[in-house]
Amino acid sequence: MTKKRCVYLRVKRIQDTVLSALALVILSPLLLLIALAVVIDDPQGGPIFSQIRCGQGGELFRLYKFRTMCVGAEQRLSELLPYNEMTGPAFKIQNDPRITRLGRFLRSTGLDELPQLVNILKGDMSVVGPRPPLLREVEAYTPYQRQRLTVTPGLTCFWQVSPRRNSLSFDDWVELDLRYIREQSWLLDWRLTFRTVRAVLRREGL
């Protein structure tokens, strides 16, 4: 690893720690309000959903999100797999019947991802980087696709700010992640961060 890259990674970690800590403090009223809204919308479950994901090098960690699906949603996955609209090992359908009313709004704005600020503070994730996949997805990866795991996963990356991202194939998604890995820099990280804020304000997660 070059000295320049070592400095970049150290500074990136410092930035991640400072930004996530500040965001958690500043956004704490919003986080509490969303948590309350999730419980009111669907009182059968708690406000936070956690799931085991794969980080850098395939290391497992627990990812946090605001719950956007009904209780028992993971157990219903097998019956929905035939309707998967995403190529490759990832799963995604546009009108997922497991998503709650409030969950659709949270997903369209990206607000459901805010609890991952805790993951960033802990060092499991970075602000910018490829999204952390599920273990079952990684088990189906080709050696080429496993290159996504060579860096710390992030809250946002090229795919998250791409217009009509849900129409992209999994191979396109992988190529965008590998592009980020090749082009990593402070300038790119800040560009993607600001583009993500713009995408959230425009509700481009629909």
Side-chain angles (χ1 to χ4, degrees):
M1 185 182 298
T2 65
K3 182 178 180 180
K4 181 178 179 181
R5 180 161 177 79
C6 286
V7 172
Y8 161 73
L9 292 176
R10 288 174 186 169
V11 174
K12 182 175 183 177
R13 178 58 195 147
I14 293 172
Q15 289 181 161
D16 285 339
T17 302
V18 173
L19 288 175
S20 59
L22 283 175
L24 283 168
V25 172
I26 295 172
L27 297 176
S28 56
L30 176 62
L31 295 172
L32 291 173
L33 182 63
I34 294 174
L36 180 61
V38 171
V39 173
I40 292 175
D41 184 57
D42 183 12
Q44 296 184 31
I48 300 296
F49 172 75
S50 67
Q51 191 176 50
I52 299 298
R53 296 290 183 102
C54 292
Q56 185 174 11
E59 184 175 351
L60 301 180
F61 71 95
R62 186 169 293 278
L63 175 142
Y64 302 101
K65 300 178 66 173
F66 280 119
R67 184 170 62 86
T68 59
M69 291 188 175
C70 61
V71 175
E74 290 191 290
Q75 286 69 43
R76 295 181 57 190
L77 177 61
S78 58
E79 66 186 66
L80 296 173
L81 285 176
Y83 306 101
N84 187 13
E85 297 171 2
M86 177 68 75
T87 58
F91 175 81
K92 192 176 291 291
I93 55 176
Q94 187 172 7
N95 296 309
D96 195 322
R98 302 171 299 168
I99 301 177
T100 62
R101 291 174 300 174
L102 179 62
R104 295 192 183 282
F105 170 76
L106 294 178
R107 287 188 171 213
S108 70
T109 56
L111 293 174
D112 61 317
E113 310 284 1
L114 287 179
Q116 286 159 50
L117 290 169
V118 174
N119 290 117
I120 296 172
L121 187 62
K122 290 171 58 182
D124 300 325
M125 295 174 58
S126 177
V127 173
V128 183
R131 289 296 296 162
L134 294 164
L135 179 58
R136 62 173 174 80
E137 294 173 349
V138 172
E139 290 174 342
Y141 277 5
T142 65
Y144 183 76
Q145 293 167 344
R146 286 188 68 89
Q147 293 181 85
R148 297 180 75 238
L149 305 178
T150 57
V151 298
T152 303
L155 187 64
T156 188
C157 204
F158 278 118
W159 184 81
Q160 282 71 28
V161 298
S162 298
R164 294 187 292 276
R165 65 188 191 190
N166 289 326
S167 64
L168 297 177
S169 69
F170 181 70
D171 287 338
D172 292 331
W173 188 351
V174 170
E175 290 304 319
L176 288 172
D177 286 342
L178 297 185
R179 174 189 169 190
Y180 170 74
I181 293 172
R182 291 192 303 269
E183 300 177 2
Q184 273 184 305
S185 68
W186 292 308
L187 178 59
L188 179 58
D189 287 344
W190 281 107
R191 282 176 54 200
L192 288 172
T193 299
F194 286 121
R195 286 178 63 185
T196 300
V197 173
R198 184 177 64 183
V200 168
L201 294 176
R202 294 180 176 179
R203 293 185 64 183
E204 291 176 356
L206 284 168

